[in-house]
Amino acid sequence: MTAVDPRPAATTSYPTPLPDATAVVSPSVRDVVKAYVGLTKPRIIELLLITTVPVMFLAAGGVPGLEVVVATLIGGILASGSANTINCVLDRDIDEQMRRTRRRPLPRHAVSPRSATVFGVVLGVLATLELGFFVNWLSSGLALAANLFYVFGYTMLLKRRTVQNIVWGGIAGCFPTLIGWTAVTGKLAWTPLVLFLVVFFWTPPHTWALAMRYREDYASVDVPMLPVVATPVATARQIMAYSVLMVVTSIALWPVASTGFVYPLAAFVLGFVFLREARRLLLRAHTGADGAALRPMRLFHFSNIYLALLFIAAAIDPLLH
């Protein structure tokens, strides 16, 4: 008789495989869309549109046609998105090192540089054609000139080479005043040129205040923003000087455009508050404050409010005048 082993038969067992930590998870459609939208820098687009639509009201002497406003907005969004996307591609090396920008789509590798470049170029072509066919070719040409200057003039030539980078590079951000006016009238005039200068003088205080807060970021990537190469006192003095020029220019629109009482009242009040904030920044710099102690973001945040309210006043004024 064959002996029977009372022990249970041995079975071969294999460990349950653990999930591969290196496995690539495909991004959702929502994530992809969010990444491409992020490339366009929506917050910057908002500021540009704030200086476009109110000028259209001023140009029309009232409410402009809905069709031209919508067409101009679409073209402006496409054009700004194009320039900002190409800027992200060209600046991806420094964006990856800076705290303020390291979460952008390209540093996170959410979009490839090639795909972002194609996206930016396509947006630029669409903007040029859309503005040309649905608004007019003068506005289209101005938008294209602004994009080319932002990419080649500011991003590629000025930004990493000169302390005057944002002064002259900021010209690209002034073009919406001209685009909004020409979209309605089909021609240039002194009124949009004055507003062009308002934005031109507004840009340095706005940007340098932000750069004071993130001075170490710019210094770490060798971008010669004024706060990197100058003392806080010298920077605050420059901010004060440009703020004065901005306020004086904003008030000059009153006689040039023959506005009513709403716009000059807003220009005086907003200008006073802006100069007060710039002076406080200068006083803090004179006390030896540095970095966050300077509280430069107070001026930065108010500069956004200033520009929005000033241009809204310019839009409201012809409705009441």
Side-chain angles (χ1 to χ4, degrees), residues 103-135:
R103 297 302 300 166
R104 286 177 178 173
L106 284 169
R108 290 190 293 109
H109 306 288
V111 181
S112 70
R114 180 178 180 181
S115 298
T117 301
V118 172
F119 179 62
V121 172
V122 169
L123 288 181
V125 172
L126 290 176
T128 302
L129 296 177
E130 194 275 344
L131 286 171
F133 285 112
F134 295 99
V135 182

Side-chain angles (χ1 to χ4, degrees), residues 135-204:
V135 182
N136 59 60
W137 289 104
L138 176 56
S139 298
S140 175
L142 290 170
L144 179 59
N147 278 11
L148 293 176
F149 186 82
Y150 185 69
V151 171
F152 294 102
Y154 172 65
T155 306
M156 296 183 68
L157 181 63
L158 297 170
K159 184 173 182 178
R160 308 193 194 195
R161 289 182 172 86
T162 172
V163 71
Q164 293 293 308
N165 49 16
I166 198 61
V167 176
W168 301 109
I171 288 175
C174 305
F175 272 78
T177 60
L178 307 182
I179 295 169
W181 184 275
T182 58
V184 174
T185 67
K187 59 184 179 180
L188 290 170
W190 284 111
T191 295
L193 290 174
V194 172
L195 291 171
F196 180 102
L197 290 175
V198 170
V199 181
F200 177 79
F201 292 130
W202 169 89
T203 303

Side-chain angles (χ1 to χ4, degrees), residues 9-65:
T11 58
T12 303
S13 62
Y14 300 95
T16 303
L18 296 174
D20 184 2
T22 62
V24 178
V25 178
S26 299
S28 66
V29 174
R30 180 181 179 181
D31 290 336
V32 173
V33 172
K34 186 177 180 180
Y36 277 96
V37 171
L39 288 172
T40 66
K41 303 181 184 178
R43 290 185 178 180
I44 294 179
I45 291 178
E46 290 175 7
L47 281 175
L48 295 177
L49 296 182
I50 283 173
T51 59
T52 303
V53 178
V55 176
M56 299 179 75
F57 279 73
L58 197 58
V63 181

